[in-house]
């Protein structure tokens, strides 16, 4: 293997991860994808430097290569360079394990993400959307869809999946946003995670006594069978609750904003409702749904990616956002194209850590968009796009408010 690192790699770039307006693509990612697809970066927190990989094929390679480990990341005593001052995910869950441990956890959770399970959830999601849009209609324009649709609906759907009773759901409403932000700081994040952990422990114990057709029952049974330990069960439940409530809220709102600022695409969806599943996938590819990058991996031996040697022990980040904008794979990647027949997008990741909730997210997005289009044929933004207020310091990007009229 040829050592090309020294010859090809300039000093590390500092990536500040600034808040970006609207759905603007990160200019540094754009530059690196074009000029330096395997680059060295430093992020705002932690120690040292890391590799950042941006091209589609290289991202696929490192996220499916067993020589790159998430477990090794958890075993480090010093925090690697990253986006937050505190650890977001638990070391016991999906994020910090490799196969076969990761496969064991996924096998248990997959029992709730079956085709039959999604069929059970879709009518519940539709009922929730209809009820919420009834309230929007009664409220009248202008209405804030973040507060009235995109916030409560994903929380309701993931609560239906987990088996959270109606009377408890208000307790969960604010926790995901505080956990998935770089703003509140380590102490507040730890406090919120402790509160959520206590609730999930209580829920799993309740499902041991009162089994239902939900994920909490699946996990409680796995605990009793010895397939999971308590820390793993709580961590897995937390990850699903937080991502299901927080990420889908922002992603679905971004989709509505994208459609309302692309009137020709919106008109086409109204005329061709059968195009919706394909349109949702293209929106997932097109929208830069997060800030920065997710968790990295650690090289367990020397490997070569994109003509660059990554040494054993070095940290590697993969940008799914940049991969989804790779012009070598997607023609005119900056264009929203509902007829796109390029390679599959990587909005849900790739390899063993591909998001288990992908089908549920697609289902929720389809239900929300189809319900909005049918209910409000004249739906439009109630403010100019440049006057929209966007969330600050969030790991997942999205509007703070989404005011609409009709």
């Amino acid at each position: 293997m040829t050592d090309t690192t020294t010859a090809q790699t300039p000093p590390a770039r500092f990536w500040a991860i600034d808040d970006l307006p609207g759905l603007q693509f990160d200019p540094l990612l754009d530059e690196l994808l074009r000029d330096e697809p395997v680059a060295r970066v430093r992020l705002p927190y932690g120690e040292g430097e890391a590799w950042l990989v941006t091209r589609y094929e290289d991202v696929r390679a490192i996220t499916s290569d067993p020589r790159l480990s998430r477990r090794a990341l958890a075993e480090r005593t010093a925090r690697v360079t990253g986006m937050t001052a505190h650890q977001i995910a638990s070391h016991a869950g999906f994020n910090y394990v490799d196969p076969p441990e990761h496969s064991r956890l996924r096998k248990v959770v997959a029992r709730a993400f079956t085709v039959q399970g999604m069929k059970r959830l879709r009518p519940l999601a539709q009922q929730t959307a209809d009820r919420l849009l009834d309230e929007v209609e009664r409220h009248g324009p202008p209405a804030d869809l973040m507060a009235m649709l995109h916030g409560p609906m994903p929380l309701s759907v993931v609560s239906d999946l987990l088996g959270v009773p109606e009377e408890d759901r208000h307790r969960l409403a604010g926790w995901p946003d505080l956990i998935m932000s770089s703003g509140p700081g380590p102490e507040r994040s730890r406090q919120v995670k402790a509160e959520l952990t206590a609730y999930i422990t209580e829920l799993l114990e309740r499902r041991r006594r009162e089994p239902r057709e939900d994920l909490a029952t699946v996990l409680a049974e796995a605990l009793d069978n010895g397939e999971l330990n308590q820390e793993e069960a709580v961590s897995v439940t937390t990850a699903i609750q937080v991502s299901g409530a927080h990420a889908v809220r922002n992603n679905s709102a971004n989709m509505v904003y994208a459609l309302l600022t692309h009137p020709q695409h919106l008109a086409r969806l109204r005329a061709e409702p059968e195009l919706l599943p394909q349109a949702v996938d293209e929106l997932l590819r097109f929208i830069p749904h997060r800030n920065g990058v997710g968790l990295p991996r650690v090289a367990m031996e020397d490997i070569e990616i994109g003509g660059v040697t990554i040494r054993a022990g070095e940290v590697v980040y993969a940008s799914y956002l940049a991969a989804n904008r790779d012009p070598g794979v997607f023609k005119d990647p900056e264009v929203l194209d509902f007829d796109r027949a390029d390679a599959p997008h990587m909005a849900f990741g790739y390899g063993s850590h591909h998001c288990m909730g992908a089908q549920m997210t697609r289902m929720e997005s389809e239900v929300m968009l189809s319900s909005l289009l049918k209910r409000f044929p004249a739906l439009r933004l109630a403010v100019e796009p440049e006057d929209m207020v966007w969330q600050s310091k969030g790991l997942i990007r999205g509007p703070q408010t989404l005011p609409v009229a009709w």
Side-chain angles (χ1 to χ4, degrees):
M1 186 180 293
T2 303
D3 182 3
T4 55
T5 303
T6 303
Q8 295 187 4
T9 306
R13 310 279 195 101
F14 178 67
W15 192 8
I17 321 288
D18 295 323
D19 292 326
L20 296 168
L23 301 181
Q24 179 182 319
F25 193 70
D26 191 305
L28 179 60
L29 285 180
D30 195 39
E31 179 186 343
L32 293 180
L33 179 60
R34 181 183 65 246
D35 300 331
E36 195 181 347
V38 183
R40 295 288 284 177
V41 295
R42 286 187 299 108
L43 296 165
Y45 300 97
E47 300 179 11
E49 300 174 354
W51 292 99
L52 175 62
V53 177
T54 50
R55 281 187 184 161
Y56 187 93
E57 291 303 328
D58 293 340
V59 168
R60 280 170 58 112
I62 71 165
T63 52
S64 57
D65 192 327
R67 297 173 297 173
L68 288 144
S69 170
R70 285 274 183 84
R71 170 59 68 190
L73 188 67
E75 293 168 351
R76 291 199 164 202
T77 54
R79 292 197 69 237
V80 303
T81 188
M83 288 183 55
T84 64
H86 55 285
Q87 177 186 309
I88 300 291
S90 165
H91 285 173
F94 289 124
N95 290 304
Y96 287 96
V97 292
D98 304 320
E101 289 81 10
H102 187 269
S103 306
R104 171 176 58 84
L105 295 178
R106 285 183 72 98
K107 183 178 179 181
V108 171
V109 177
R111 295 169 194 162
F113 283 97
T114 61
V115 172
Q116 195 60 37
M118 292 304 101
K119 285 182 178 178
R120 178 182 75 85
L121 287 177
R122 189 167 193 128
L124 296 175
Q126 187 64 63
Q127 290 169 21
T128 299
D130 291 342
R131 172 176 56 80
L132 292 171
L133 292 179
D134 285 344
E135 294 174 10
V136 170
E137 198 163 9
R138 282 194 294 270
H139 179 281
D144 176 16
L145 291 185
M146 289 301 288
M148 302 189 75
L149 177 66
H150 299 291
M153 183 171 164
L155 177 63
S156 178
V157 173
V158 77
S159 296
D160 287 335
L161 172 74
L162 289 172
V164 176
E166 288 279 354
E167 62 271 18
D168 290 350
R169 295 182 183 186
H170 70 281
R171 297 171 60 185
L172 278 66
W175 286 335
D177 292 348
L178 290 170
I179 291 171
M180 292 292 289
S181 172
S182 61
E187 190 54 44
R188 181 58 178 144
S189 179
R190 279 193 291 268
Q191 178 187 344
V192 169
K193 282 189 279 190
E195 293 170 4
L196 182 54
T197 295
Y199 176 77
I200 290 170
T201 301
E202 171 193 325
L203 177 64
L204 294 175
E205 187 58 38
R206 192 185 315 176
R207 285 294 170 263
R208 274 183 164 135
R209 301 189 304 268
E210 304 168 2
R212 304 276 177 86
E213 190 181 353
D214 55 41
L215 179 56
T217 299
V218 169
L219 295 173
E221 290 173 351
L223 273 171
D224 290 340
N225 295 338
E227 295 175 277
L228 298 179
N229 62 40
Q230 182 74 20
E231 189 178 9
E232 288 170 338
V234 169
S235 178
V236 165
T237 310
T238 301
I240 292 170
Q241 167 66 30
V242 169
S243 61
H246 181 84
V248 177
R249 181 193 74 173
N250 291 316
N251 290 349
S252 61
N254 287 336
M255 289 183 184
V256 171
Y257 174 80
L259 288 173
L260 294 180
T261 52
H262 290 76
Q264 290 180 322
H265 293 75
L266 181 61
R268 186 175 177 197
L269 269 188
R270 292 192 190 283
E272 303 175 55
E274 69 280 1
L275 192 64
L276 185 58
Q278 189 172 329
V280 165
D281 261 331
E282 170 63 357
L283 287 163
L284 285 165
R285 182 206 65 84
F286 171 79
I287 292 170
H289 64 275
R290 69 161 297 132
N291 284 320
V293 283
L295 289 173
R297 292 164 171 80
V298 177
M300 304 308 291
E301 59 183 78
D302 290 1
I303 62 173
E304 186 170 312
I305 296 291
V308 174
T309 299
I310 295 173
R311 297 296 186 190
E314 293 185 323
V315 175
V316 189
Y317 281 99
S319 174
Y320 296 122
L321 266 62
N324 282 339
R325 294 291 187 101
D326 186 345
V329 175
F330 300 100
K331 181 182 178 182
D332 300 323
E334 73 287 349
V335 173
L336 184 64
D337 180 4
F338 289 165
D339 294 314
R340 189 175 296 282
D342 298 318
H345 66 75
M346 285 195 274
F348 295 114
Y350 189 77
S352 62
H353 287 274
H354 183 272
C355 177
M356 292 194 70
Q359 290 307 316
M360 189 172 80
T361 299
R362 286 186 174 97
M363 177 272 288
E364 290 181 72
S365 301
E366 290 175 17
V367 168
M368 273 191 266
L369 292 180
S370 63
S371 300
L372 270 172
L373 296 183
K374 289 175 184 175
R375 183 72 69 100
F376 302 109
L379 190 71
R380 65 187 186 278
L381 285 177
V383 297
E384 294 299 320
E386 58 269 23
D387 294 329
M388 285 276 295
V389 178
W390 295 81
Q391 295 172 49
S392 177
K393 303 302 180 185
L395 302 185
I396 306 297
R397 292 173 63 174
Q400 186 171 309
T401 60
L402 183 54
V404 296
W406 53 92

